[in-house]
Amino acid sequence: MANWAARVEWNDADDLTDVALERIAETLRAHSAAVGREREPDRASVNLTVEANTLRQADDLALRLVRDAVRAAGRRFEPSGVEVLDEATFAARLAEPTIPPLVGYAEIAELAGVSRQRARELGNLEGFPPAVVETQAGPLRVRSQVEIWMSQWERKPGRPRKASS
């Protein structure tokens, strides 16, 4: 037998009460369950651990356990997603940073080979990645998105021509 980490999501959670969530968690306590609502409307999830010989068995068991717990709480169970990971993969995922690498104007300038002033102007161009965090030092953007944008950026040397009147 192996230990597996599972996440089961289901729909129809918009009016899921705290009492129902607590009941689901209590039913699944032996599986170290964490239950909650998702940001999206009408969705809830359970993270739990199960013991099984194969991935397929772990998947089936996790779905059955959550279905039974949700129905025991008087709720309808309509699964929308299941993810099951072995212990090593789960541990590796937990070790990964939850926030992707971010860049500010200084890093954008360095990546693009331009001045900081020009890096600020790039932020106004159509399609430039939006800021994900605003700080007193300025906006921060996801580095990989900025790099992708730059790889497609059609740079034109020199100053733009003034429009004739």
Side-chain angles (χ1 to χ4, degrees), residues 60-76:
D60 290 344
L61 178 58
L63 263 173
R64 184 170 41 80
L65 289 168
V66 174
R67 180 197 65 214
D68 293 351
V70 171
R71 287 183 177 166
R75 303 297 304 169
R76 194 169 53 116

Side-chain angles (χ1 to χ4, degrees), residues 23 39 75 77 82 89 95 101 109 120-121 130 132-133 142 150 163:
R23 188 165 178 197
R39 288 186 196 168
R75 303 297 304 169
F77 181 69
V82 179
T89 304
R120 288 178 192 274
E121 293 168 359
V132 293
V133 176
V142 176
M150 285 184 188

Side-chain angles (χ1 to χ4, degrees), residues 15-16 19 44 73 77 87 94 96-97 115 119 127 133 138 141 152 158 164:
D15 60 349
L16 191 62
V19 172
F77 181 69
E87 279 185 300
L94 286 178
E96 293 175 6
S115 69
V133 176
R141 293 173 166 81
Q152 300 166 353
S164 56

Side-chain angles (χ1 to χ4, degrees), residues 47-107:
N47 292 310
L48 69 158
T49 59
V50 295
E51 286 186 4
N53 290 318
T54 66
L55 173 63
R56 178 61 185 207
Q57 289 173 348
D59 184 79
D60 290 344
L61 178 58
L63 263 173
R64 184 170 41 80
L65 289 168
V66 174
R67 180 197 65 214
D68 293 351
V70 171
R71 287 183 177 166
R75 303 297 304 169
R76 194 169 53 116
F77 181 69
E78 199 178 300
S80 58
V82 179
E83 181 181 35
V84 179
L85 304 171
D86 61 60
E87 279 185 300
T89 304
F90 181 68
R93 187 173 288 177
L94 286 178
E96 293 175 6
T98 56
I99 299 174
L102 302 175
V103 292
Y105 291 128
E107 295 87 0

Side-chain angles (χ1 to χ4, degrees), residues 112-114 118 122 125 148-156:
V114 298
R118 179 64 177 140
L122 292 178
L125 295 179
I148 290 169
W149 183 88
M150 285 184 188
S151 72
Q152 300 166 353
W153 179 31
E154 293 183 29
R155 296 177 83 159
K156 296 176 184 159

